[in-house]
Amino acid sequence: MNILKREINRIKESLMTGVGYMIPFVVFGGICIASTIALSDMSSKGVNITNPILKVINDFGSQSMGMMVPILAAFIAFGFADRAAIMPGFLGGLIAVNGQAGFLGGLVAGILAGYIVMGIKKIHVPATLRALVPIFIIPLIGGLAVAIIMQYVVVAPIGGLMKTMTAFLKGMQGGNVILLAAILGFMTAFDMGGPVNVVACLFAWSFFADNIYTLSAPVAVAIATPPLGMGLATLLARHRYDEMDREAGKAALVMGMIGISEGAIPFAAKDPLRVIPANCIGGMVGAVIAMLAGVNEYAPHGGPIVALVATNKLMYLLAIAVGALVTALVANFLKFGLKPKDKASVTEKAA
């Protein structure tokens, strides 16, 4: 039992370390993308960025956001086994991104790399070869092991899983639309830009060709509720969040306003068992409200920013507001009673 508790604490501390290094990438990318969307034209075809300067800024933001999962995985591994684990962790995170495994795949990659490198470090090697361990043996053996497991065990099955979910959603079209809205809200909020989110979004947006826009509204709402909800949670119960969380909350509010779900990832990576359920519940509530109100959303995006191209704008914004509030309240309820050590800042660890 003590061993299990020790490993749980090790994983928790390593997740916090990874989040601490990832946050600057999320903040930079989110602000760059937010500024370009806010200053560009919005139409039924999405965001139209024509200004060359804004295009460059948007590219910078996209590149930074694209690096956050590999960085998260690399420094989760670092939290387990120090610098030698960074390369295997980063490689595993990159494979997760390329395989559309999202940030959940990055979490697995970081933990996997950490334990593999810890195991390699315990192997006795002759004194003459010890200098090669951190720069040759660990990157070669650790990197190869992580890459193979991620590619053929973690990432490969996701393609089939995504096809199954898509087929399931199509089977519900025309049936219980309220239940469908709840499922779309759950999936969209679940992994915040990851593969489950993508399946739900692409499913809803695929009906644009048939002039069906009621399915995109629940998705657009649930895209925004995780970052807005977690940002709001840090304002409603500041004592339950450390300084780094509160700063991440400010960034999440900005990103949520322009429909960037990834703003909630720092919170979900740090405390997935509480944050992910809260995100899903809030996303479902907001999505159902949008469906009941008959909102049509004509842009393949989300957040308050696309209210400009939505019908029944007031109900659309109300759905987002209620979903975000539910997310915040559920998250803070689940965090009730946490001891200070459970909320410790990763600042010292990351330094």
Side-chain angles (χ1 to χ4, degrees), residues 13-295:
E13 291 175 2
S14 297
L15 290 178
M16 293 170 68
T17 300
V19 170
Y21 282 98
M22 181 188 72
I23 281 179
F25 290 84
V26 177
V27 171
F28 175 82
I31 291 175
C32 287
I33 294 173
S35 61
T36 57
I37 291 177
L39 297 174
S40 299
D41 297 328
M42 184 74 67
S43 68
S44 60
K45 295 182 179 180
V47 182
N48 184 24
I49 304 175
T50 56
N51 186 294
I53 297 177
L54 293 181
K55 283 185 177 180
V56 171
I57 295 174
N58 185 71
D59 289 342
F60 288 157
S62 297
Q63 290 169 12
S64 182
M65 295 290 278
M67 292 296 294
M68 67 180 183
V69 171
I71 290 295
L72 173 66
F75 285 97
I76 287 175
F78 168 75
F80 276 91
D82 296 325
R83 289 181 296 176
I86 290 178
M87 177 269 163
F90 190 94
L91 178 61
L94 196 59
I95 292 172
V97 171
N98 292 337
Q100 298 186 347
F103 98 95
L104 293 176
L107 293 179
V108 173
I111 295 171
L112 176 66
Y115 277 115
I116 287 176
V117 173
M118 285 174 60
I120 295 173
K121 283 186 170 184
K122 293 178 181 179
I123 299 174
H124 176 75
V125 297
T128 55
L129 297 178
R130 286 177 188 167
L132 297 177
V133 171
I135 62 173
F136 181 78
I137 296 177
I138 289 179
L140 180 62
I141 299 177
L144 188 61
V146 170
I148 291 173
I149 295 173
M150 286 297 299
Q151 184 67 38
Y152 297 106
V153 178
V154 178
V155 171
I158 289 182
L161 179 61
M162 297 303 103
K163 291 180 181 179
T164 300
M165 285 192 290
T166 300
F168 172 73
L169 290 174
K170 286 184 176 179
M172 293 194 65
Q173 172 62 16
N176 191 332
V177 292
I178 302 304
L179 178 59
L180 178 57
I183 293 174
L184 288 174
F186 178 94
M187 293 177 63
T188 303
F190 176 71
D191 57 355
M192 296 145 285
V196 178
N197 169 286
V198 169
V199 167
C201 291
L202 292 180
F203 170 79
W205 298 336
S206 68
F207 288 92
F208 281 4
D210 300 317
N211 296 319
I212 297 174
Y213 300 97
T214 51
L215 294 181
S216 60
V219 166
V221 168
I223 284 174
T225 52
L228 289 177
M230 292 312 302
L232 182 60
T234 64
L235 297 178
L236 294 178
R238 291 177 58 86
H239 61 284
R240 292 181 188 161
Y241 299 89
D242 58 38
E243 183 178 354
M244 186 192 74
D245 290 331
R246 293 193 290 270
E247 291 301 313
K250 296 176 184 177
L253 288 171
V254 174
M255 285 185 269
M257 292 298 293
I258 48 85
I260 298 180
S261 289
E262 288 85 348
I265 286 181
F267 299 95
K270 187 174 180 179
D271 192 5
L273 296 181
R274 294 181 179 89
V275 173
I276 291 179
N279 286 345
C280 292
I281 293 171
M284 291 171 67
V285 170
V288 168
I289 291 174
M291 181 64 79
L292 287 172
V295 177

